[in-house]
C-alpha cells in the first residue's frame, strides 16, 4: 500500500513540475498573433487549395499582414471581391490579378490517337504512367484516368466522351491542383483572355515530326511554320515542340491558320466570316446580246 501511495505521489509531483515548466516556457516564448490574421481567414473561402502559392489559408493570411504590398498575393478562389476585403483589413491597395484558367496541352482524342493496348489496373494516371506509354503509342499524351478530376475541389473538370478532361472556365479558379496531379504535366495555367479567348499548343509530344505524327495525328511536328508566321515573336520551338508565350500573344490566330496538324487551338473566338471570292457574272456585250436574241 505504501508503495502504491508513493508511486502516486511521485507521478503527481512529476506532473505538477512538468506543468509548471510548460507554463513558464509558454509565457516566456509567447508570440502574440496579429488579430488581422483571423479577420482575413474569415473572409477567405477556406479551400486551403494552395492556389495562392502558400501552404493554406492561414499561411496566406499571415503573409498578407506581413507584406508591405499585396502585389503578388492573390486568392484565386475568392478573386477580386475577396482581395478587396483583404486589402481593406490590412490597409493596402489590392494588387491587380490576371484571371487564369487551366488548359490541357493534349488534343489526342480517340479519333487522332487510337488505343493500342489494354489496361486493367487501378484507374489512376499516376499508376498508369509508371507502365510506359499507357494505352496508346504516345508517351506524352493524356492517360485519361481522371486524376485531375478527382483533385479538383470546385467541379471544374469532367471527363469528356472523347477520353480527354474538359475544363469549365467559369468554374475553374486556377488553384493549380490539377496541374500538380497530372503525372505528365499536361495541364497548364494560362491567361483566361478577353471574353475567354486564348490560343495555345494542345500538344506535349517532344518526338521528331514523323514519330510524333505516327503516334497522334494531331501532334505538333515542330515544323516552325507557326513561329515564322507569328508577328509578335510569341512562339518558340524547343525539343520539336512549339510553345506560345501568353504574355506576348496578341490573339491574332495566324499561327493556328498555318498549323498543318491543327495542334494549335484558338478557343472562344467568334466564327470567321467566309468571304465569297467568286466574281459576279459579267454582262454580255451589247452586240453579242443582239446576236443571241437574233
Amino acid at each position: 500500500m505504501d508503495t502504491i501511495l508513493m508511486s502516486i505521489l511521485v507521478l503527481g509531483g512529476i506532473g505538477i513540475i512538468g506543468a509548471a515548466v510548460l507554463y513558464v516556457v509558454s509565457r516566456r516564448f509567447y508570440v502574440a498573433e496579429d488579430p488581422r490574421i483571423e479577420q482575413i481567414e474569415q473572409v477567405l473561402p477556406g479551400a486551403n487549395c494552395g492556389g495562392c502559392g502558400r501552404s493554406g489559408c492561414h499561411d496566406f493570411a499571415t503573409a498578407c499582414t506581413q507584406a508591405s504590398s499585396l502585389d503578388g498575393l492573390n486568392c484565386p478562389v475568392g478573386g477580386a471581391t475577396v482581395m478587396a476585403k483583404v486589402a481593406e483589413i490590412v490597409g493596402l491597395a489590392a494588387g491587380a490579378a490576371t484571371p487564369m484558367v487551366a488548359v490541357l496541352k493534349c488534343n489526342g482524342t480517340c479519333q487522332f490517337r487510337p488505343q493500342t493496348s489494354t489496361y486493367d489496373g487501378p484507374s489512376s494516371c499516376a499508376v498508369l504512367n509508371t507502365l510506359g506509354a499507357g494505352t496508346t503509342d504516345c508517351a506524352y499524351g493524356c492517360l485519361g484516368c481522371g486524376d485531375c478530376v478527382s483533385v479538383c475541389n470546385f467541379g471544374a473538370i469532367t471527363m469528356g466522351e472523347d477520353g480527354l478532361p474538359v475544363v469549365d472556365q467559369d468554374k475553374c479558379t486556377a488553384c493549380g491542383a490539377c496541374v500538380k496531379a497530372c503525372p505528365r504535366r499536361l495541364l497548364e495555367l494560362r491567361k483566361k483572355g478577353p471574353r475567354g479567348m486564348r490560343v495555345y499548343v494542345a500538344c506535349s509530344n517532344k518526338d521528331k515530326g514523323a514519330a510524333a505524327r505516327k503516334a497522334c495525328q494531331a501532334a505538333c511536328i515542330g515544323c516552325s511554320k507557326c513561329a515564322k508566321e507569328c508577328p509578335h515573336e510569341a512562339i518558340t520551338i524547343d525539343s520539336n515542340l512549339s510553345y506560345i508565350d501568353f504574355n506576348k500573344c496578341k490573339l491574332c490566330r495566324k499561327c493556328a491558320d498555318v498549323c498543318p496538324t491543327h495542334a494549335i487551338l484558338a478557343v472562344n473566338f467568334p466564327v470567321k466570316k467566309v468571304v465569297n471570292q467568286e466574281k459576279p457574272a459579267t454582262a454580255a456585250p451589247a452586240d453579242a446580246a443582239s446576236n443571241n436574241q437574233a
Side-chain angles (χ1 to χ4, degrees):
M1 188 67 181
D2 294 339
T3 304
I4 297 175
L5 181 59
M6 183 61 68
S7 300
I8 294 175
L9 292 175
V10 171
L11 292 175
I14 294 174
I16 294 173
I17 295 173
V21 171
L22 290 175
Y23 175 78
V24 172
V25 171
S26 65
R27 297 294 297 178
R28 176 67 178 81
F29 296 100
Y30 173 76
V31 177
E33 186 175 71
D34 193 326
R36 295 177 300 173
I37 295 177
E38 183 178 356
Q39 296 176 23
I40 294 175
E41 283 191 272
Q42 290 177 353
V43 301
L44 293 176
N48 287 308
C49 60
C52 58
R54 303 285 170 170
S55 60
C57 293
H58 181 79
D59 188 24
F60 177 75
T62 303
C64 290
T65 58
Q66 296 176 349
S68 58
S69 171
L70 292 180
D71 292 337
L73 290 170
N74 177 58
C75 174
V77 180
T81 303
V82 168
M83 288 309 300
K85 296 179 181 178
V86 172
E88 183 178 354
I89 293 172
V90 297
L92 297 172
T98 303
M100 306 288 282
V101 67
V103 300
L104 180 68
K105 296 186 295 181
C106 176
N107 195 30
T109 63
C110 301
Q111 175 187 358
F112 301 130
R113 185 175 51 124
Q115 183 175 335
T116 56
S117 61
T118 304
Y119 171 69
D120 294 327
S123 182
S124 168
C125 296
V127 175
L128 182 55
N129 187 53
T130 63
L131 303 179
T135 58
T136 70
D137 290 336
C138 181
Y140 301 90
C142 178
L143 294 165
C145 294
D147 285 14
C148 52
V149 177
S150 59
V151 299
C152 181
N153 294 324
F154 309 98
I157 308 179
T158 55
M159 292 303 298
E161 295 181 357
D162 57 6
L164 297 179
V166 178
V167 180
D168 186 335
Q169 68 172 22
D170 295 325
K171 294 182 179 179
C172 180
T173 61
C175 68
C178 58
V179 176
K180 298 175 183 177
C182 180
R184 292 187 171 178
R185 297 294 183 264
L186 296 180
L187 287 151
E188 177 190 17
L189 296 181
R190 297 180 65 89
K191 283 184 178 179
K192 196 170 185 178
R195 298 184 299 281
M197 296 184 297
R198 49 192 175 275
V199 180
Y200 61 95
V201 180
C203 181
S204 298
N205 197 320
K206 296 182 179 180
D207 291 336
K208 291 184 178 181
R213 190 67 187 274
K214 183 179 180 181
C216 179
Q217 296 179 16
C220 172
I221 57 177
C223 64
S224 302
K225 286 185 177 180
C226 54
K228 295 176 182 178
E229 188 71 17
C230 180
H232 310 291
E233 298 182 349
I235 304 178
T236 54
I237 310 294
D238 184 26
S239 299
N240 308 306
L241 181 65
S242 298
Y243 181 78
I244 301 175
D245 186 339
F246 54 78
N247 291 311
K248 295 181 179 179
C249 179
K250 304 301 181 184
L251 305 178
C252 67
R253 290 185 286 172
K254 291 183 178 180
C255 55
D257 292 337
V258 300
C259 180
T261 63
H262 305 290
I264 299 178
L265 299 186
V267 299
N268 296 328
F269 285 86
V271 179
K272 289 184 177 181
K273 294 182 179 180
V274 179
V275 180
N276 189 0
Q277 299 294 335
E278 295 181 1
K279 295 182 179 180
T282 305
D287 54 349
S290 300
N291 294 333
N292 290 337
Q293 291 177 356

